[in-house]
């Protein structure tokens, strides 16, 4: 069993930076894929970024490429999402997720086995 706890959300202004952290308790096997998703009010949850635990392969959705960076720390069992040049459209609840058997697209929500409770990010214009 894996538990994920996000932290680091808050209220920032357009153009600011923010770092989200996901702390994982339990065993994170080398096969896992970790990801960040987000859900804005009235919208469906969407994929933001992912990283594979074993070989550190990263994927990003197009709207955040060049602005967001995902990285994992195997020693600390954490996954961080560094967000730069934030925009009002980045406003959402951000969720950390873990896929124990990543055999599908990184953006496939139903593939993820564990989810955190979410952390709110609000970007004002």
């Amino acid at each position: 069993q894996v538990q994920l706890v996000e932290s680091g959300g808050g209220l920032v202004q357009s153009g600011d930076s923010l770092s989200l952290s996901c702390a994982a308790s339990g065993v994170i096997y080398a096969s896992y894929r970790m990801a960040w998703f987000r859900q804005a009010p009235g919208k469906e949850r969407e994929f933001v970024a992912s990283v594979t635990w074993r070989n550190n392969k990263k994927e990003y959705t197009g709207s955040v490429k060049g602005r967001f960076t995902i990285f994992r720390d195997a020693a600390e069992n954490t996954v961080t999402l560094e967000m730069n040049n934030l925009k009002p459209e980045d406003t959402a609840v951000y969720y950390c997720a873990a896929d124990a058997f990543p055999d599908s697209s990184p953006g496939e929500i139903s593939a993820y086995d564990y989810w955190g409770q979410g952390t709110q990010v609000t970007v004002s214009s």
Side-chain angles (χ1 to χ4, degrees):
Q1 188 74 9
V2 173
Q3 291 186 322
L4 305 173
V5 178
E6 303 97 335
S7 62
L11 172 63
V12 296
Q13 293 185 332
S14 183
D16 284 352
S17 299
L18 202 60
S19 180
L20 304 183
S21 181
C22 172
S25 61
V27 178
I28 302 295
Y29 292 98
S31 59
Y32 276 38
R33 174 191 288 143
M34 305 296 292
W36 286 93
F37 287 78
R38 65 187 180 187
Q39 187 166 18
K43 295 187 177 181
E44 294 185 351
R45 192 169 298 189
E46 65 171 357
F47 170 77
V48 176
S50 67
V51 60
T52 57
W53 208 254
R54 176 182 284 116
N55 56 16
N56 202 29
K57 181 180 179 182
K58 303 177 182 181
E59 302 278 351
Y60 298 92
T61 191
S63 63
V64 308
K65 281 184 180 178
R67 300 189 299 124
F68 291 13
T69 303
I70 187 172
F71 57 93
R72 67 63 162 151
D73 185 330
E76 297 292 329
N77 259 19
T78 59
V79 179
T80 299
L81 185 68
E82 291 280 357
M83 305 184 293
N84 297 311
N85 190 22
L86 282 161
K87 303 176 181 180
E89 51 263 43
D90 295 317
T91 295
V93 177
Y94 283 71
Y95 296 91
C96 178
D99 182 355
F101 305 99
D103 55 0
S104 57
S105 165
E108 182 58 55
I109 292 176
S110 62
Y112 288 84
D113 305 283
Y114 306 103
W115 291 84
Q117 82 288 350
T119 185
Q120 176 71 46
V121 172
T122 303
V123 185
S124 64
S125 57

